[in-house]
PDB file of all heavy atoms in Angstrom:
ATOM      1  N   LEU F  12     -17.179  25.422  -8.980  1.00 94.00           N
ATOM      2  CA  LEU F  12     -18.522  25.348  -9.585  1.00 94.00           C
ATOM      3  C   LEU F  12     -19.274  24.241  -8.808  1.00 94.00           C
ATOM      4  O   LEU F  12     -18.798  23.124  -8.803  1.00 94.00           O
ATOM      5  CB  LEU F  12     -18.398  24.975 -11.030  1.00 94.00           C
ATOM      6  CG  LEU F  12     -17.677  25.982 -11.965  1.00 94.00           C
ATOM      7  CD1 LEU F  12     -17.520  25.460 -13.327  1.00 94.00           C
ATOM      8  CD2 LEU F  12     -18.414  27.327 -11.926  1.00 94.00           C
ATOM      9  N   GLU F  13     -20.435  24.632  -8.221  1.00 95.00           N
ATOM     10  CA  GLU F  13     -21.201  23.678  -7.453  1.00 95.00           C
ATOM     11  C   GLU F  13     -20.250  23.003  -6.420  1.00 95.00           C
ATOM     12  O   GLU F  13     -20.106  21.781  -6.388  1.00 95.00           O
ATOM     13  CB  GLU F  13     -21.865  22.655  -8.296  1.00 95.00           C
ATOM     14  CG  GLU F  13     -22.958  23.290  -9.209  1.00 95.00           C
ATOM     15  CD  GLU F  13     -23.666  22.222 -10.010  1.00 95.00           C
ATOM     16  OE1 GLU F  13     -24.718  21.721  -9.506  1.00 95.00           O
ATOM     17  OE2 GLU F  13     -23.209  21.909 -11.120  1.00 95.00           O
ATOM     18  N   GLU F  15     -19.938  22.347  -3.140  1.00 96.00           N
ATOM     19  CA  GLU F  15     -20.295  21.300  -2.134  1.00 96.00           C
ATOM     20  C   GLU F  15     -20.510  19.953  -2.823  1.00 96.00           C
ATOM     21  O   GLU F  15     -20.022  18.900  -2.420  1.00 96.00           O
ATOM     22  CB  GLU F  15     -21.546  21.662  -1.382  1.00 96.00           C
ATOM     23  CG  GLU F  15     -21.397  22.873  -0.476  1.00 96.00           C
ATOM     24  CD  GLU F  15     -21.620  24.244  -1.184  1.00 96.00           C
ATOM     25  OE1 GLU F  15     -21.909  24.221  -2.423  1.00 96.00           O
ATOM     26  OE2 GLU F  15     -21.506  25.277  -0.609  1.00 96.00           O
ATOM     27  N   LYS F  16     -21.238  20.011  -3.931  1.00 96.00           N
ATOM     28  CA  LYS F  16     -21.550  18.775  -4.686  1.00 96.00           C
ATOM     29  C   LYS F  16     -20.263  18.077  -5.142  1.00 96.00           C
ATOM     30  O   LYS F  16     -20.142  16.878  -5.032  1.00 96.00           O
ATOM     31  CB  LYS F  16     -22.451  19.145  -5.909  1.00 96.00           C
ATOM     32  CG  LYS F  16     -22.635  18.038  -6.902  1.00 96.00           C
ATOM     33  CD  LYS F  16     -23.406  18.599  -8.093  1.00 96.00           C
ATOM     34  CE  LYS F  16     -23.427  17.587  -9.241  1.00 96.00           C
ATOM     35  NZ  LYS F  16     -24.161  18.147 -10.383  1.00 96.00           N
ATOM     36  N   HIS F  17     -19.312  18.877  -5.654  1.00 97.00           N
ATOM     37  CA  HIS F  17     -18.125  18.255  -6.234  1.00 97.00           C
ATOM     38  C   HIS F  17     -17.097  17.854  -5.167  1.00 97.00           C
ATOM     39  O   HIS F  17     -16.378  16.856  -5.434  1.00 97.00           O
ATOM     40  CB  HIS F  17     -17.541  19.208  -7.300  1.00 97.00           C
ATOM     41  CG  HIS F  17     -18.420  19.311  -8.466  1.00 97.00           C
ATOM     42  ND1 HIS F  17     -19.171  20.427  -8.777  1.00 97.00           N
ATOM     43  CD2 HIS F  17     -18.763  18.401  -9.401  1.00 97.00           C
ATOM     44  CE1 HIS F  17     -19.910  20.201  -9.887  1.00 97.00           C
ATOM     45  NE2 HIS F  17     -19.655  18.970 -10.252  1.00 97.00           N
ATOM     46  N   ILE F  18     -17.072  18.523  -4.047  1.00 97.00           N
ATOM     47  CA  ILE F  18     -16.182  18.040  -2.981  1.00 97.00           C
ATOM     48  C   ILE F  18     -16.730  16.688  -2.458  1.00 97.00           C
ATOM     49  O   ILE F  18     -15.990  15.792  -2.188  1.00 97.00           O
ATOM     50  CB  ILE F  18     -16.082  19.111  -1.836  1.00 97.00           C
ATOM     51  CG1 ILE F  18     -15.347  20.338  -2.372  1.00 97.00           C
ATOM     52  CG2 ILE F  18     -15.393  18.540  -0.638  1.00 97.00           C
ATOM     53  CD1 ILE F  18     -13.901  20.152  -2.734  1.00 97.00           C
ATOM     54  N   ALA F  21     -15.880  14.014  -4.945  1.00 97.00           N
ATOM     55  CA  ALA F  21     -14.497  13.586  -4.813  1.00 97.00           C
ATOM     56  C   ALA F  21     -14.368  12.576  -3.701  1.00 97.00           C
ATOM     57  O   ALA F  21     -13.635  11.577  -3.859  1.00 97.00           O
ATOM     58  CB  ALA F  21     -13.570  14.794  -4.630  1.00 97.00           C
ATOM     59  N   THR F  90     -15.323  22.305 -12.267  1.00 92.00           N
ATOM     60  CA  THR F  90     -16.182  21.552 -11.389  1.00 92.00           C
ATOM     61  C   THR F  90     -15.354  20.719 -10.390  1.00 92.00           C
ATOM     62  O   THR F  90     -15.659  20.770  -9.149  1.00 92.00           O
ATOM     63  CB  THR F  90     -17.015  20.521 -12.204  1.00 92.00           C
ATOM     64  OG1 THR F  90     -16.157  19.730 -13.001  1.00 92.00           O
ATOM     65  CG2 THR F  90     -18.028  21.251 -13.091  1.00 92.00           C
TER      66      THR F  90
END
Side-chain angles (χ1 to χ4, degrees):
L12 299 173
E13 297 182 88
E15 295 85 0
K16 171 184 169 181
H17 291 109
I18 295 293
T90 54

